[in-house]
């Protein structure tokens, strides 16, 4: 579902000669460039020549269309291969570059003294990572790096707006980063509320009840504070108990120095799921990621994810991935390495593992246009490989409605970054990737789509076949000319589903605080998916894997349709929630009992 196909990549034929190609004398040609840094970034100073860069080089994946075909077949409940997920070795073979690409890139690196022992390769050999000083990177890429500063946050990164490669390399290298990528990849939290004084936890002890979306009675307190009990009541899973021994696992990711505090987790378990008290998760460090346990280092995002994700699915074993790597670089002090954004590092790691959690949730992202298409395309391809291996990947849809990172719809500057500076809606990535399940947010009972729920249409990826009918049905309901020119109606539409996303009762630094955002809704929906995988594994069936073909063909019938609300931004009211799929709430929130019956009826 890429706008640019990888089919039929030409390969340079003049590689038969045993002599090394004289790359240093070759004519360089621009490989990638952007008009300028995204809004908020400005050039500050020249990059120090000794500053170390960790460059990741992506080699083409000529067999990706074959991998994609496998993904569609094993994820389609009506296909005879449904659930026949691929192994690590099979996906590696389908992601591997052509041998000619490996050879010529190796020769190019060797011409700069970078021998095999100094290279780090991904499991499929489709990524090569090197550590070089800015001075050498500038020679290799015929570019000039600068330190760019962000006006709002003060953070700095070392980047360029254009780089070049010898023309002979262009068909053998998809991209090199960090070069032109200015994405900040923030956690999707709309608002955070807490005081210096500990607050009394709000638990579901009220004698009053209200009618939930499944027609059952729900504690009235759930309209003011969301707890584990509230979510199980709302989404109809009170009677379901997961297993600790059937091989099912739940995975959560953390980036940007977000640490999950274990004392906070145990306090949360005591308050909201006493049976889980004393249990823990498996911590996995990726690229040197840490999980600092000092109270001062506790992260609201990481606490939210682990407390609700592992609290809802206990006793299912949980895995918490902490991936190092973030853009900020302080040019006033010596910093040894300016790292790339962390998704590619996480993908490198998980795709190299023979066994993975069946469900993984991520609550991070950024404006799609801040991520170069080439990079977004490759990260998205990695998500496709995970789906083909039977992993359900869920992402928060974003916290700015149809707009940018400014939480105030009235002040959002929704301008394109292509030099035209036209007003347009700003979709979020990775939510816009067609191989992931994007989760929007709701509020209150009865449920309404919350105003910050990210949604819209990708400018990078075309609409996948699985959502053609549902999205066209929505588009026909829009008045002719509505938001014409502000969005790409042929693009991948998101979110796919939604869940509660306001007033989650989280323990942070020993205090109970309310948290809002699609950061709440993604681990919530993922937890119910993990329960469904638990049931299928107990019944000796395959895990669900990539969810969207199921959701758009049958699964939507077991979701609570959200018909009220809209997601304003860019000086507009945004899209509206309505009957059926919509770009605010997707198909709606889970009714676990209905979903359970459906997934157990699948082969």
């Amino acid at each position: 579902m890429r706008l640019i196909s990888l089919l039929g990549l030409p390969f340079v034929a003049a590689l038969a000669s045993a002599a090394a190609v004289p790359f240093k004398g070759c004519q360089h040609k621009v490989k990638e460039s952007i008009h300028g840094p995204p809004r908020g970034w400005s050039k500050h100073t020249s990059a120090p020549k000794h500053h170390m860069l960790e460059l990741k080089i992506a080699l083409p994946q000529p067999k990706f269309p074959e991998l994609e075909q496998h993904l569609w077949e094993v994820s389609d409940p009506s296909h005879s291969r449904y659930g026949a997920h691929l192994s690590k070795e099979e996906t590696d073979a389908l992601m591997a570059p052509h041998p000619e690409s490996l050879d010529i890139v190796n020769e190019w690196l060797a011409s700069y003294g970078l021998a095999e022992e100094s290279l780090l390769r991904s499991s499929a050999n489709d990524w090569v990572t090197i550590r070089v000083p800015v001075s050498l990177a500038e020679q290799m890429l015929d570019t000039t790096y600068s330190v760019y500063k962000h006006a709002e946050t003060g953070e700095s990164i070392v980047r360029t707006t254009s780089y070049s490669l010898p023309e002979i390399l262009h068909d053998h290298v998809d991209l090199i980063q960090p070069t032109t990528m200015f994405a900040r990849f923030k956690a999707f939290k709309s608002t955070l509320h807490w005081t210096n004084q500990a607050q009394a936890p709000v638990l579901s002890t009220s004698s009053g009840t209200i009618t939930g979306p499944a027609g059952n009675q729900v504690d009235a307190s759930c309209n003011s504070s969301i707890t584990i009990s509230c979510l199980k009541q709302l989404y109809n899973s009170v009677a379901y108990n997961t297993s600790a021994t059937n091989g099912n696992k739940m995975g959560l990711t953390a980036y940007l120095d977000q640490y999950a505090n274990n004392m906070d987790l145990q306090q949360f378990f005591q308050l909201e799921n006493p049976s889980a008290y004393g249990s823990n998760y498996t911590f996995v460090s990726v690229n040197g990621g840490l999980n600092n346990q000092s109270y001062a280092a506790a992260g609201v995002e990481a606490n939210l994810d682990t407390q609700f994700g592992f609290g809802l699915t206990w006793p299912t074993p949980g895995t918490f991935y902490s991936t190092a790597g973030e853009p900020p670089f302080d040019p006033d002090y010596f910093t040894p390495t300016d790292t790339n954004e962390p998704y590619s590092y996480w993908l490198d790691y998980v795709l190299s593992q023979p066994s993975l959690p069946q469900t993984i949730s991520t609550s991070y992202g950024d404006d799609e246009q801040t991520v170069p298409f080439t990079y977004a395309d490759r990260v998205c391809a990695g998500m496709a490989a995970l789906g083909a291996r039977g992993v359900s990947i869920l992402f928060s849809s974003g916290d700015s409605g149809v707009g940018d990172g400014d939480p105030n719809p009235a002040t959002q500057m929704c301008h394109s970054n292509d030099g035209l500076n036209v007003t347009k809606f700003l979709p979020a990535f990775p939510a816009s990737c067609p191989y992931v399940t994007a989760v929007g947010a709701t509020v209150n009972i009865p449920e309404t789509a919350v105003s910050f729920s990210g949604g819209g249409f990708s400018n990078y990826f075309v609409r996948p076949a699985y959502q053609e009918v549902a999205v066209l049905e929505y588009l026909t309901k829009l008045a002719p000319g509505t938001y014409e020119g502000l969005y790409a109606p042929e693009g991948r539409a998101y979110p796919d589903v939604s869940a509660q996303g306001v007033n989650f009762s989280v323990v942070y630094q020993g205090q109970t605080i309310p948290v809002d955002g699609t950061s709440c809704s993604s681990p919530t929906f993922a937890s119910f998916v993990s329960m469904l995988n638990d049931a299928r594994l107990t019944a000796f069936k395959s895990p669900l894997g990539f969810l969207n073909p199921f959701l758009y063909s049958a699964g939507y019938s077991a979701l609570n349709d959200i018909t009220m609300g809209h997601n304003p931004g860019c000086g507009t009211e945004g899209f509206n929630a309505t009957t059926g799929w919509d770009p605010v709430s997707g198909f709606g929130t889970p009714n676990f009992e209905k979903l359970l019956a459906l997934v157990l009826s699948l082969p």
Side-chain angles (χ1 to χ4, degrees), residues 210-230:
I210 48 181
T211 301
N216 58 330
Q217 293 302 294
V218 176
D219 292 340
S221 64
C222 297
N223 242 335
S224 59
S225 181
I226 295 294
T227 63
I228 294 291
S229 176
C230 286

Side-chain angles (χ1 to χ4, degrees), residues 13 31 88 90 99 249 254 258 291 384 424 431 463 467 470 496 571-572:
K31 176 64 177 175
K88 170 192 174 297
E90 289 169 327
K249 294 180 181 178
Q258 275 285 324
N291 197 26
K424 62 190 295 187
R463 181 163 60 244
Q467 64 172 190
D496 305 296
T572 75

Side-chain angles (χ1 to χ4, degrees), residues 170-250:
H170 275 233
D171 291 329
H172 301 281
V173 172
D174 273 352
L175 65 105
I176 299 177
Q177 292 290 351
T179 49
T180 59
M181 183 161 59
F182 287 78
R184 295 171 57 216
F185 287 96
K186 52 193 172 290
F188 281 139
K189 299 181 301 296
S190 176
T191 51
L192 301 175
H193 318 274
W194 71 89
T195 69
N196 291 328
Q197 301 299 317
Q199 300 176 41
V202 181
L203 300 179
S204 301
T205 56
S206 171
S207 59
T209 61
I210 48 181
T211 301
N216 58 330
Q217 293 302 294
V218 176
D219 292 340
S221 64
C222 297
N223 242 335
S224 59
S225 181
I226 295 294
T227 63
I228 294 291
S229 176
C230 286
L231 294 171
K232 288 187 174 183
Q233 293 174 63
L234 276 169
Y235 299 141
N236 208 11
S237 72
V238 172
Y240 188 79
N241 296 308
T242 57
S243 169
T245 59
N246 61 5
N248 190 41
K249 294 180 181 178
M250 172 73 173

Side-chain angles (χ1 to χ4, degrees), residues 483-502:
Y483 302 145
E484 187 173 353
L486 294 180
Y487 73 101
E490 75 284 356
R492 185 282 204 254
Y494 73 99
D496 305 296
V497 294
S498 52
Q500 287 276 320
V502 175

Side-chain angles (χ1 to χ4, degrees), residues 34 36-44 147-157 182-184 186 366-367 369-370 404-406 411-417 421 426:
I34 58 175
R39 183 175 71 90
W41 292 103
S42 60
K43 188 181 292 187
H44 180 61
V147 176
Y148 288 83
K149 212 162 193 177
H150 195 270
E152 180 184 346
T153 65
E155 63 189 297
S156 298
I157 55 176
F182 287 78
R184 295 171 57 216
K186 52 193 172 290
D366 205 351
D367 296 344
Q369 70 172 3
T370 68
D404 66 4
D406 187 337
T411 59
Q412 288 177 350
M413 302 290 290
C414 302
H415 295 156
S416 65
N417 196 46
N421 205 37
L426 299 178

Side-chain angles (χ1 to χ4, degrees), residues 2 4 6 31-34 56 58-59 61 127 163 170 173-177 179-181 368 370-382 429 460-461:
R2 303 170 175 193
I4 299 176
L6 294 182
K31 176 64 177 175
E32 192 163 9
S33 65
I34 58 175
K56 292 183 73 71
L59 280 59
Q61 302 167 321
W127 287 92
Y163 68 95
H170 275 233
V173 172
D174 273 352
L175 65 105
I176 299 177
Q177 292 290 351
T179 49
T180 59
M181 183 161 59
E368 187 182 67
T370 68
V371 187
F373 170 77
T374 54
Y375 197 88
D377 195 43
R378 284 301 293 261
V379 167
C380 197
F429 180 81
Y460 284 175
F461 304 102

